[in-house]
Amino acid sequence: MKSRTKVVVIGGGIAGCSTLYHLTREGWTDVVLVERNELTSGTTWHSAAQVTNFGTSQTMIGLKSHSIRLYKELSEDPEFPINYHHGDGGIRLANTEAQMQGYRHFSSMARGMDVHFEVIDAEECARRHPLISTGDLLGGLWDPLDGDIDPAQLCQALVRRARKAGAEVYRNTPVTGLSQHRDDTWTVHTDQGDLDCDIVVNACGYRVNEVGAMMGVQHPVASMEHQYFLTDEIPQIKEAGYRMPLIRCPISDFYCRQEKNGLLVGFYEQACKTWGMDGIDPNFVNALCPDDLDRVMDVLEGAFERLPALREVGVHTVINGPITYTIDGLPLVGPIPGKRNAYCIIGLRAGLGEGGGHGWLLAQQIVHGEACYDTWVLDPRRFTGHANVELTALKAVEDYQNEFRFHFPNEHRSAGRLAKTTVLTPILAAQGAAFTTVNGWERVDYIKPDPAFQLTLGFDFDEAHSVVAAEVRNVQENVGLCEVNGFNRIEITGRDRHRFLDRLICGFVSKREGRLGLGYLLNHFGMIKSEATVANLPASDRGPERVWYGSAAASEYHDRDWLEQHVEPGEDVQIQSLTEAQTILVLAGPNARKVLSSCARGDWSAKAFPWLSVRECFVGFAPATVVGVSFSGELAYEIHVPNTSLYAAYLALQDAGRPFGMQLFGARAVESMRLEKGFLHWKADLLTEFDPFETGLDRFVNLEKEIFIGKDALLGRAVRVRAKGLVTLEIDATRGPAPSGASLMCDSRVVGTITSGAWGHRVQKNLAFAFVDPEFSAIGSSMQLNLCGEPVSARVIAPCPYDPDHSRIRG
Ligand SMILES: Cc1cc2nc3c(=O)[nH]c(=O)nc-3n(C[C@H](O)[C@H](O)[C@H](O)COP(=O)(O)OP(=O)(O)OC[C@H]3O[C@@H](n4cnc5c(N)ncnc54)[C@H](O)[C@@H]3O)c2cc1C
């Protein structure tokens, strides 16, 4: 065993083997994989190993397509061919129109990644899979490239290629400890000796938290027991003379694929079970959990109905093994929060199909600092302080029970709710609030008109449409109040705070005390990393001169890590998170100034406190910091209050607002209003795949600045080629909003992708943002939106269709 290497990948399942191989492909060959037993002796060896293209975001579809391309290439390698049933085809079934609509949407989304699905009716499903019955079936989604692969051969093939490139693999080498040094390098302790390295990667499957604990981290990953069985030969399969397509059934929660001349049938039962919560036997190696077919009886019946041939055939093998889940069902692939030079590729619940793609995106991040797709949907930093293993287990059970039922827009499932609340949560609930969640925080979505009010899940405008319209009207004509909890607020103090931020932000941001500005942070490729409001607070009895850096709630760990990692040695900069300590009450509408003036001393006139000002004050007697910004496009104040005083501030504002008939409003009203104003949302419209020019943020870039991260890359593109441009669209449809990820077409060519869509209640237009090909970005350009299968026309309009000169914000 060598004593030093660049990267140590811990774990030799599909996650580790794929990462190792892709590191060599990206050019790093001095890399090592250590495995406690034999390769694939965790979950990988007994996987059903189905490989599909289906995903609910373009990043997921893209990475799965990479797996399929790679696996095909490996299977055709004359030196080491592996068994891969590529292109058997697969059908995701549906028995409701809403599911069919979803499949049409995901099919539209996949087109943008050059993946071609087909939505077919029940008869066509049965024609393609002659063993299924069509009772209560509406149809399904056909993936022509679906298939399955031999998991052990796949890992061997990846490792073989990695070794050929120079990588080394140490089997029977358990990692027993990890030490990080002052220069952020690591020593990996194993029972075969120590190994120094720059970077460690945790790819330990269900043992993720044993290795996590070695670096003081608890990853939000929990394991579930999962079962499938293998049948004896089924004569119809043998007679068919071709391989049966795969089936995934959200009606009865099972999947099935051909195995030899029989079937492999797997189940997602309601009475499902977590596994390993109290620790894992160190001798659980190449092992299975005891069979428990009684547990799957509920779904077995449904599988028999759908596949009557199953009633006639014997079962010769049952496999029950642990499978890892996270809080939202997607893996954690990327940097480990709060750590340097440490990455993970964990929580893979469909790791055989996805593993090729995950290893590819992770290796790009390790080697280059960023991947070719925006990887936020996989980023381990998307979960923050609330994300413990107990909460994960609750969400894992819920996810397992709904394995093939995708989330509809505006669907907020019930497990693990109330993870992050404020003192106002029950008070707002008593006033009828329906909640959404953002980074675990319960946020008001809208106010229900009556306690029994319920939404129909689907892709069309739902029952809340008119409720949101009324909330917007009240903000436009009068004044509204909205709690925004969990907003990411980082306090930056120290002599060098402005110099530090200047290096991170690509444009000019005011340094004047009492003023604030909006800035964009780029990565080293000049692509959008983050968006922040930067407010300069003067010294006061509440603290020294300081900057308040504010960004999206979801960015809490992401932005904290980026800021902390860019403080230079010797720089006088201190960074402290206030995210959990403060909550914002947003007061918005033409009467907002009057309400504020009647509960907070001081001159709040436009002259004394213009737009983009910040001031400390008291609301009633509650200490508050008022920031003059608006996401709604109306005159608005963000009132930041320490959580200990939040209720007092809320009561003072309610008292002041009563004479004006002030009403509550929620996130859905804000979403409508921000599209009307052309305001972008982090990780919906602001993505690492686009630079600020493509995103239409030219006015926020100052190439005259001496230095900022990403400047060289922006300048390096001497003749700037805009691959895409962000535009505002008016959609010619009243049925539903343009869903994120939907494709825009011209003559059956994909010319753009929707990033956000909502009805603009003030302009009475169906609005969307989209990245489109440059030739479609001019105002007036038209194209077709594939709106859940229905072609509707979409036209580029001027950005900010509501009050474009911001006169209402200035009040
Ligand atoms: C019954 C079943 C059916 C499935 N069917 C499918 C399917 O059809 N399609 C699909 O895509 N996915 C499927 N999956 C899921 C898929 O198999 C997993 O997502 C995948 O195998 C996980 O791979 P991994 O590399 O993350 O974990 P593992 O395969 O568990 O690998 C982790 C490795 O880390 C090693 N390790 C742990 N601790 C240490 C240590 N301290 N030092 C060194 N090494 C260590 C372990 O020994 C192990 O080899 C299925 C899973 C199950 C259980």
Side-chain angles (χ1 to χ4, degrees):
M1 187 159 116
K2 43 165 110 168
S3 58
R4 193 181 156 83
T5 185
K6 207 165 173 62
V7 184
V8 174
V9 179
I10 309 169
I14 179 61
C17 296
S18 173
T19 304
L20 188 79
Y21 163 66
H22 283 98
L23 283 169
T24 64
R25 235 176 80 149
E26 294 300 323
W28 283 14
T29 52
D30 179 11
V31 290
V32 161
L33 184 149
V34 286
E35 162 56 50
R36 77 198 284 275
N37 308 106
E38 291 295 338
L39 296 179
T40 73
S41 55
T43 289
T44 298
W45 71 275
H46 60 261
S47 177
Q50 299 155 105
V51 182
T52 172
N53 256 318
F54 181 79
T56 55
S57 69
Q58 288 202 327
T59 297
M60 289 305 292
I61 295 168
L63 74 88
K64 290 181 186 205
S65 287
H66 174 81
S67 286
I68 290 177
R69 279 193 303 273
L70 172 66
Y71 298 174
K72 180 128 198 312
E73 184 193 316
L74 293 173
S75 71
E76 290 167 353
D77 184 340
E79 284 181 29
F80 192 80
I82 61 173
N83 290 326
Y84 177 28
H85 297 120
H86 172 262
D88 287 352
I91 316 173
R92 252 156 233 273
L93 304 178
N95 66 343
T96 69
E97 188 42 50
Q99 278 168 325
M100 291 295 282
Q101 211 185 0
Y103 290 160
R104 288 189 197 102
H105 166 57
F106 295 122
S107 180
S108 162
M109 178 190 279
R111 274 298 297 276
M113 302 304 283
D114 205 19
V115 167
H116 296 255
F117 293 145
E118 221 183 310
V119 180
I120 55 178
D121 63 19
E123 283 64 43
E124 188 58 21
C125 292
R127 203 185 62 73
R128 295 185 192 193
H129 198 307
L131 295 187
I132 63 168
S133 69
T134 53
D136 83 346
L137 192 65
L138 270 184
L141 181 81
W142 172 258
D143 174 1
L145 297 186
D146 226 320
D148 71 274
I149 195 159
D150 182 313
Q153 286 185 0
L154 169 63
C155 291
Q156 291 296 345
L158 291 167
V159 158
R160 185 174 168 275
R161 284 197 174 187
R163 276 200 183 114
K164 261 184 148 178
E168 294 188 13
V169 174
Y170 307 130
R171 294 174 294 128
N172 300 309
T173 307
V175 170
T176 52
L178 293 165
S179 317
Q180 191 161 26
H181 308 290
R182 292 176 71 154
D183 62 357
D184 295 327
T185 62
W186 294 87
T187 298
V188 178
H189 308 285
T190 81
D191 70 358
Q192 306 293 318
D194 287 353
L195 187 49
D196 293 331
C197 63
D198 295 333
I199 293 168
V200 291
V201 178
N202 185 342
C204 289
Y206 51 76
R207 294 191 188 275
V208 49
N209 277 317
E210 293 176 8
V211 173
M214 296 175 198
M215 60 167 78
V217 171
Q218 195 195 43
H219 294 282
V221 174
S223 298
M224 302 292 300
E225 281 188 25
H226 175 52
Q227 291 182 95
Y228 64 76
F229 64 56
L230 299 162
T231 72
D232 294 334
E233 191 169 293
I234 297 176
Q236 295 100 305
I237 294 183
K238 204 170 174 196
E239 284 153 20
Y242 61 90
R243 285 186 58 82
M244 291 293 123
L246 291 83
I247 295 286
R248 293 179 187 81
C249 181
I251 310 161
S252 304
D253 301 297
F254 76 94
Y255 57 82
C256 110
R257 69 163 173 85
Q258 185 171 338
E259 175 68 23
K260 302 213 168 71
N261 280 325
L263 289 176
L264 178 159
V265 190
F267 304 98
Y268 291 99
E269 67 282 5
Q270 292 300 300
C272 54
K273 241 172 108 178
T274 55
W275 181 85
M277 291 293 287
D278 297 316
I280 300 167
D281 181 345
N283 298 313
F284 190 89
V285 177
N286 262 320
L288 292 172
C289 314
D291 304 356
D292 186 5
L293 283 186
D294 285 348
R295 218 173 59 221
V296 304
M297 281 305 164
D298 56 340
V299 283
L300 198 57
E301 260 313 305
F304 281 4
E305 291 287 317
R306 189 65 60 206
L307 291 162
L310 283 179
R311 294 190 198 275
E312 316 295 324
V313 71
V315 166
H316 67 73
T317 307
V318 179
I319 297 283
N320 185 14
I323 189 165
T324 52
Y325 277 73
T326 65
I327 285 181
D328 61 3
L330 290 175
L332 303 169
V333 182
I336 295 176
K339 294 282 164 193
R340 295 191 188 199
N341 292 344
Y343 294 81
C344 59
I345 174 165
I346 52 177
L348 276 65
R349 77 171 189 206
L352 254 298
E354 297 172 3
H358 289 309
W360 177 53
L361 295 182
L362 181 61
Q364 289 180 43
Q365 290 181 68
I366 295 172
V367 174
H368 310 296
E370 205 76 74
C372 56
Y373 304 137
D374 190 295
T375 49
W376 182 243
V377 290
L378 306 169
D379 198 309
R381 296 165 300 191
R382 70 190 188 277
F383 302 119
T384 57
H386 63 297
N388 58 46
V389 173
E390 294 298 332
L391 175 69
T392 310
L394 287 177
K395 295 303 283 183
V397 168
E398 182 182 62
D399 223 37
Y400 189 95
Q401 291 169 332
N402 288 284
E403 180 74 23
F404 296 127
R405 284 184 283 274
F406 53 79
H407 276 80
F408 287 100
N410 299 313
E411 180 178 4
H412 311 296
R413 291 185 180 161
S414 58
R417 295 299 294 265
L418 303 179
K420 287 180 180 169
T421 58
T422 70
V423 67
L424 296 185
T425 309
I427 293 164
L428 297 169
Q431 296 189 41
F435 292 90
T436 176
T437 53
V438 181
N439 184 18
W441 290 95
E442 295 290 330
R443 279 237 182 121
V444 175
D445 211 16
Y446 59 90
I447 305 296
K448 293 185 275 187
D450 63 78
F453 186 77
Q454 289 237 323
L455 300 183
T456 308
L457 293 176
F459 287 80
D460 294 344
F461 290 123
D462 59 22
E463 294 83 349
H465 191 63
S466 56
V467 177
V468 173
E471 289 179 13
V472 170
R473 197 174 321 114
N474 172 62
V475 171
Q476 182 184 20
E477 295 172 359
N478 182 21
V479 58
L481 186 68
C482 174
E483 184 197 45
V484 181
N485 47 25
F487 185 72
N488 188 33
R489 168 69 62 221
I490 296 174
E491 184 170 273
I492 306 174
T493 50
R495 213 176 40 248
D496 299 320
R497 64 190 182 285
H498 291 307
R499 193 169 68 113
F500 164 69
L501 279 172
D502 235 13
R503 206 169 57 239
L504 269 67
I505 290 174
C506 64
F508 169 80
V509 175
S510 177
K511 299 176 183 61
R512 265 176 56 204
E513 286 183 358
R515 298 292 289 163
L516 64 112
L518 184 64
Y520 289 86
L521 293 80
L522 311 183
N523 61 24
H524 293 89
F525 299 99
M527 302 296 187
I528 306 269
K529 191 83 185 160
S530 212
E531 177 197 57
T533 52
V534 175
N536 302 298
L537 286 159
S540 72
D541 56 351
R542 297 186 196 166
E545 293 161 329
R546 59 212 184 276
V547 163
W548 273 14
Y549 171 106
S551 56
S555 73
E556 183 183 348
Y557 280 7
H558 174 277
D559 282 19
R560 178 205 63 189
D561 283 1
W562 187 255
L563 294 181
E564 284 180 350
Q565 286 168 10
H566 287 92
V567 179
E568 285 183 350
E571 216 164 26
D572 182 19
V573 169
Q574 294 84 44
I575 292 170
Q576 189 201 348
S577 173
L578 300 181
T579 303
E580 298 213 337
Q582 303 247 347
T583 295
I584 302 175
L585 295 169
V586 172
L587 198 55
N591 284 324
R593 179 174 291 125
K594 290 182 195 150
V595 174
L596 183 63
S597 300
S598 69
C599 62
R601 277 181 214 286
D603 180 355
W604 296 101
S605 66
K607 192 150 179 278
F609 190 78
W611 182 34
L612 303 180
S613 297
V614 56
R615 182 195 285 175
E616 290 177 336
C617 66
F618 291 90
V619 166
F621 59 81
T625 305
V626 177
V627 180
V629 290
S630 171
F631 211 41
S632 61
E634 305 296 342
L635 174 68
Y637 304 98
E638 271 186 4
I639 303 168
H640 296 242
V641 188
N643 282 339
T644 41
S645 306
L646 182 60
Y647 187 41
Y650 174 78
L651 290 178
L653 282 162
Q654 283 289 16
D655 280 350
R658 201 160 293 118
F660 298 91
M662 184 172 75
Q663 305 283 318
L664 295 171
F665 67 103
R668 282 182 65 173
V670 175
E671 182 67 2
S672 163
M673 294 188 280
R674 69 121 186 148
L675 262 96
E676 293 175 307
K677 289 301 295 175
F679 294 153
L680 307 181
H681 209 302
W682 188 67
K683 293 304 175 192
D685 321 301
L686 297 166
L687 303 167
T688 56
E689 290 170 39
F690 304 102
D691 72 22
F693 301 116
E694 291 167 321
T695 315
L697 299 170
D698 305 42
R699 68 188 185 286
F700 292 99
V701 184
N702 179 3
L703 289 171
E704 304 300 312
K705 268 175 77 169
E706 196 186 334
I707 181 173
F708 63 83
I709 294 173
K711 180 179 172 184
D712 291 347
L714 283 183
L715 287 174
R717 290 177 223 149
V719 183
R720 218 175 39 239
V721 186
R722 292 187 187 204
K724 295 273 182 200
L726 186 99
V727 295
T728 303
L729 293 170
E730 182 181 349
I731 310 294
D732 188 16
T734 51
R735 178 179 167 187
S740 165
S743 289
L744 291 153
M745 316 290 297
C746 179
D747 299 334
S748 58
R749 181 166 70 92
V750 178
V751 297
T753 304
I754 300 288
T755 56
S756 298
W759 185 263
H761 288 282
R762 292 173 297 191
V763 298
Q764 286 298 306
K765 286 183 167 60
N766 196 355
L767 298 173
F769 297 145
F771 281 100
V772 298
D773 290 351
E775 64 268 33
F776 288 88
S777 61
I779 292 171
S781 297
S782 68
M783 54 210 104
Q784 281 204 323
L785 167 67
N786 181 336
L787 182 62
C788 300
E790 187 190 342
V792 298
S793 80
R795 191 169 52 86
V796 178
I797 60 171
C800 190
Y802 180 72
D803 186 28
D805 63 1
H806 303 314
S807 59
R808 296 181 69 89
I809 293 182
R810 289 190 173 87

